[in-house]
Amino acid sequence: MNGIFNPESPVMSFLSRVADLVWLNVLTLICCIPVVTVGAALTALHYVSLKMVRGEDGYLTKSYFKSFKQNFAQATVLWLLFVLILAVAWVDFHYISLMDDSMAGVLRIGLTAVLFLVLCGGIYWFPLLARFENSIKNTVKNAFLLGILHFPKTICVFVIYVGMTVIYYLFLYRLMPLIFLAGISLPVYMASYLFSGIFRKLEPAEENV
């Protein structure tokens, strides 16, 4: 079959990818509902997204739940740790906002810098867990190292995540359908191109990562 309806045509390939992202977003939203399962859901999302950008799609649903089940325990611990860090940071910022002396500004800048460094590693937690088998301790350590060593790409990932969040917020009503259809899967899919490039350099020595 020739033309745009050919399964191999750019148009059909694009539509197929859009359909995959929509279904992947639906799976992630459903699996995030219990809240405590957010970590496992995000890990599975990254697992499938990394396969998608490499053309290793396979059976999307089967791959998603394979990763969800396999990484559930570690992903849940990482998710709870991430929430704890954000909660502590929020409390610290709250108390700093109540201070009237000149130290408040210094403390706010220092806390922001520390939180930024933590987030530089935090955005690698779930992609690393999705791609490599490792302990939680080593995953956190390696994520921090990758965030610093690949700082330009780390910033690009931040731009993708923060940029998409701002766009969703500014155009909430107009983009509501997009948010429900691919609000989570789309930015993760975009970021996966960056993660994939970084991880390819580590895969030959995966046992040392």
Side-chain angles (χ1 to χ4, degrees), residues 18 23 45 60 90 122 164 177 198:
V18 170
W23 180 234
L45 171 60
L60 189 152
W90 183 85
M164 293 295 286
I198 294 172

Side-chain angles (χ1 to χ4, degrees), residues 73-195:
Q74 288 185 312
T76 301
V77 172
L78 287 175
W79 167 243
L80 294 177
L81 177 60
F82 187 75
V83 172
L84 176 62
I85 291 173
L86 292 182
V88 171
W90 183 85
V91 171
D92 287 343
F93 276 117
H94 175 69
Y95 278 108
I96 290 176
S97 67
L98 300 178
M99 298 173 61
D100 296 325
D101 54 34
S102 58
M103 282 299 295
V106 176
L107 291 175
R108 186 177 293 108
I109 293 175
L111 181 58
T112 300
V114 171
L115 182 60
F116 176 74
L117 289 176
V118 170
L119 292 178
C120 279
I123 61 174
Y124 286 90
W125 285 3
F126 301 115
L128 268 178
L129 184 60
R131 195 66 189 181
F132 302 101
E133 292 186 12
N134 216 328
S135 66
I136 293 177
K137 177 182 178 181
N138 286 336
T139 296
V140 172
K141 180 186 70 174
N142 293 332
F144 178 76
L145 292 175
L146 289 177
I148 300 301
L149 294 175
H150 297 276
F151 193 70
K153 290 187 176 181
T154 300
I155 294 299
C156 288
V157 174
F158 265 116
V159 170
I160 291 173
Y161 290 162
V162 176
M164 293 295 286
T165 301
V166 171
I167 291 174
Y168 292 158
Y169 177 78
L170 293 177
F171 304 99
L172 179 62
Y173 295 106
R174 295 181 182 179
L175 297 179
M176 186 65 73
L178 175 61
I179 295 174
F180 278 107
L181 292 175
I184 303 175
S185 61
L186 179 58
V188 168
Y189 177 71
M190 295 167 62
S192 290
Y193 281 95
L194 297 171
F195 291 136

